[in-house]
Amino acid sequence: MPVSWKGTLQQYAGRLHREHPNKTTVRIIDFVDTGHPTLLRMWDKRQHGYRAMGYRVESDMPAE
């Protein structure tokens, strides 16, 4: 489900940080549909949200 609101993003990411004895790293992989303008704008908002939470955003998106 595509999200762009920072609160929802924080809630989803927070679930990944729940304690587990075998977990040492949290990595979020976010897929983006670059062919749809609305979804691309939502991705831009999510990037800001990830950075605000302290995540580093790495992009392997091909240049169009």
Side-chain angles (χ1 to χ4, degrees):
M1 177 172 91
V3 299
S4 63
W5 187 59
K6 192 168 113 177
T8 303
L9 192 63
Q10 288 174 336
Q11 181 181 24
Y12 289 172
R15 290 177 182 160
L16 297 173
H17 284 277
R18 289 183 182 158
E19 298 267 337
H20 187 279
N22 297 326
K23 187 183 340 180
T24 58
T25 306
V26 173
R27 176 181 292 181
I28 297 174
I29 299 174
D30 193 322
F31 293 90
V32 183
D33 182 351
T34 59
H36 194 282
T38 301
L39 297 177
L40 195 53
R41 283 192 303 273
M42 293 174 83
W43 163 240
D44 288 336
K45 291 178 183 180
R46 286 195 309 278
Q47 287 184 78
H48 293 291
Y50 287 133
R51 288 187 179 105
M53 290 186 288
Y55 285 98
R56 181 180 71 236
V57 177
E58 296 178 3
S59 179
D60 288 334
M61 290 177 35
E64 293 191 41

